[in-house]
Amino acid sequence: MPGERAAVGSSVEAVFREERGRLLASLVRRFGDLDLAEEVASEAIEAALVHWPTDGVPSRPGAWLLTTARRRAVDRLRRDRVLATRLAVLRAEAERADHAPPADADRDLPDDRLALFFTCAHPALAAQDRGALTLRFLAGLTTAEVARAFLVPPATMAQRLVRAKRKIRDARIPFRVPGDDELPGRLPTVLQAVYSVFTEGYAASSGPDLQRVDLAEEAIRLGRILRRLLPAEREVAGLLGLMLLVHARRDARTGPDGAMVLLDDQDRGRWDRPMIEEGRELVVVALTGPAPGPYGVQAAIAALHDEAADVASTDWPQVVALYDVLLSLLPSPVVALNRAAAVAMRDGPEAGLVLLDELADEPRLRGHHPYPAARADLLRRLGRYDEAAAAYRTALALVGTEPERVFLLRQLEAVTGRP
């Protein structure tokens, strides 16, 4: 029946979305090849779509998919002796470097997923390729979504992913968690990739929705895996705390009509208080000790917002002070933009506008719609409505999602006095 097949298709999609990281990681550990892992995982999904409508969804669908994928991989290796020989060499080298027991489909596989994180973030790969691989294989973004995150055409991203996978294969990059001496140099790339997934979920780059909650929650799940496996790393705690504190506001960020609602106007009673408390506890962990990292500082800023009863009672001097620290750790025009907005709340819109105008020639802000939107808001607050309208129009030309477009149109109508 079409309806039954559609329901089964939804079940398969839900299972694969939940299991994709561990499925791919287990397959890569077993066979040492990302291409092969991707192909047989897809074939397992196709097999599920054939068998589950008649046989029923198995009680352990993830294990079913993994077993099916492994069988397909073995069949392919039997047919392709060249591939089998190459993978045998890779497997032998991996076993010499890592004596971990083989993955078991019956148990949770966080270690395998962590190893896949670090494979994708290996220093032998180009910096832009590391992030792209992690988004593609750990977060499950499509090639088009990864391309959008990196602001390149999908065809370019597809070529980049192929090149990166070839590099992993040809350089025989091991599939393992790095040792203590390697970890500090490779962990920041992993954290940045997870945060990139979260930011695409929190503020989608394009489309009909402001948020992609599934991506944000996927990033939080990945952050929890990293936190469980690397409990001594304070920046892991900082990243997870930051994501929780920001995601706690998800239900209040859009109105009944789907339009964006700014922090000033959000119903804070709709914020997720248990998530906020968990995030605040992680902030304490992230900031306990010398030299806090950028994720810990950003989490502390988010906590100040979440703790305040309203915008007026937010501790803006402390927010600005934390942005000063963040700017020293992470010099960036985007951080400077956020700091200018905080200064405007502390010292008034004129002070914030001066700082924003100093950023006018920053190349990274030219296509970044929050910059003209922030200028427009400060100009509106100063009563400079014609200039505000021009800035809103600039932001509208750059905005990617429909809820943000609707919000900016309403702001533009307010300052021009006409629909």
Side-chain angles (χ1 to χ4, degrees):
M1 298 289 290
E4 181 181 356
R5 186 170 182 82
V8 171
S10 297
S11 297
V12 175
E13 182 181 353
V15 167
F16 189 61
R17 185 167 58 247
E18 180 64 29
E19 298 288 339
R20 63 177 175 263
R22 73 188 74 195
L23 176 62
L24 284 171
S26 182
L27 291 168
V28 174
R29 174 179 286 282
R30 175 67 178 83
F31 300 106
D33 188 278
L34 269 172
D35 278 327
L36 179 63
E38 266 197 299
E39 290 167 7
V40 297
S42 296
E43 291 177 8
I45 294 294
E46 292 173 4
L49 287 170
V50 171
H51 292 287
W52 290 7
T54 55
D55 301 341
V57 178
S59 58
R60 292 168 45 250
W64 190 99
L65 289 171
L66 181 54
T67 299
T68 302
R70 284 176 172 172
R71 288 172 179 165
R72 297 299 177 96
V74 170
D75 289 343
R76 184 166 301 189
L77 293 176
R78 285 172 179 162
R79 296 193 304 268
D80 189 337
R81 303 310 304 169
V82 174
L83 176 62
T85 301
R86 176 168 58 80
L87 293 187
V89 172
L90 293 173
R91 184 71 178 154
E93 292 177 351
E95 288 176 350
R96 284 197 297 270
D98 183 3
H99 300 289
D104 183 350
D106 292 337
R107 65 175 176 85
D108 189 21
L109 301 174
D111 286 63
D112 281 355
R113 283 176 285 179
L114 188 63
L116 186 53
F117 271 121
F118 283 100
T119 299
C120 293
H122 195 277
L125 298 168
Q128 58 186 5
D129 293 347
R130 298 174 207 160
L133 281 170
T134 306
L135 292 175
R136 179 72 183 91
F137 295 112
L138 272 301
L141 271 67
T142 66
T143 299
E145 289 168 338
V146 179
R148 190 165 64 238
F150 282 85
L151 303 177
V152 299
T156 301
M157 180 53 64
Q159 293 172 356
R160 184 181 297 176
L161 290 168
V162 168
R163 182 184 67 230
K165 288 188 290 184
R166 186 183 300 122
K167 177 70 173 180
I168 290 174
R169 183 189 65 213
D170 294 346
R172 298 184 179 178
I173 291 173
F175 177 76
R176 64 181 178 84
V177 179
D180 292 343
D181 57 331
E182 302 170 279
L183 192 61
R186 291 178 56 192
L187 183 58
T189 304
V190 172
L191 297 181
Q192 180 57 52
V194 174
Y195 191 48
S196 296
V197 178
F198 179 77
T199 54
E200 177 64 21
Y202 169 76
S205 54
S206 64
D209 300 314
L210 177 68
Q211 306 175 94
R212 297 179 59 190
V213 174
D214 59 331
L215 281 184
E217 292 180 347
E218 174 68 16
I220 289 172
R221 280 196 294 272
L222 297 175
R224 291 191 189 282
I225 292 170
L226 290 172
R227 170 71 177 148
R228 185 166 68 247
L229 294 172
L230 300 171
E233 294 294 330
R234 291 161 51 211
E235 274 290 80
V236 174
L239 173 60
L240 179 56
L242 171 62
M243 294 189 295
L244 291 170
L245 288 161
V246 172
H247 194 55
R249 310 172 200 151
R250 63 194 179 280
D251 293 340
R253 293 187 61 229
T254 53
D257 60 353
M260 182 176 70
V261 179
L262 291 183
L263 187 66
D264 310 33
D265 303 317
Q266 288 177 17
D267 178 1
R268 300 187 178 215
R270 300 182 65 195
W271 289 1
D272 188 328
R273 290 296 161 185
M275 189 173 285
I276 290 172
E277 288 306 311
E278 183 183 359
R280 290 177 65 191
E281 291 173 4
L282 288 164
V283 170
V284 174
V285 174
L287 298 185
T288 299
Y295 291 111
V297 175
Q298 290 176 84
I301 294 170
L304 288 174
H305 287 301
D306 287 4
E307 292 165 0
D310 51 38
V311 169
S313 61
T314 302
D315 188 348
W316 290 110
Q318 182 66 13
V319 171
V320 173
L322 286 169
Y323 271 120
D324 289 338
V325 175
L326 182 60
L327 202 55
S328 69
L329 296 171
L330 196 67
S332 157
V334 175
V335 175
L337 166 61
N338 292 330
R339 180 184 178 276
V343 168
M345 298 302 298
R346 183 191 66 180
D347 300 334
E350 187 68 51
L353 189 60
V354 169
L355 295 175
L356 287 183
D357 286 344
E358 291 175 358
L359 299 172
D361 294 328
E362 285 287 350
R364 286 182 58 186
L365 297 181
R366 286 175 187 163
H368 188 58
H369 80 269
Y371 175 71
R375 286 194 76 253
D377 179 62
L378 297 185
L379 290 164
R380 177 188 60 81
R381 289 162 57 186
L382 290 167
R384 295 161 60 177
Y385 298 122
D386 288 344
E387 294 171 86
Y392 279 128
R393 291 188 182 99
T394 301
L396 277 164
L398 299 171
V399 74
T401 67
E402 183 64 14
E404 291 172 298
R405 190 187 73 82
V406 170
F407 171 81
L408 291 170
L409 278 172
R410 290 175 179 172
Q411 297 299 99
L412 177 59
E413 290 172 5
V415 298
T416 58
R418 62 179 187 276

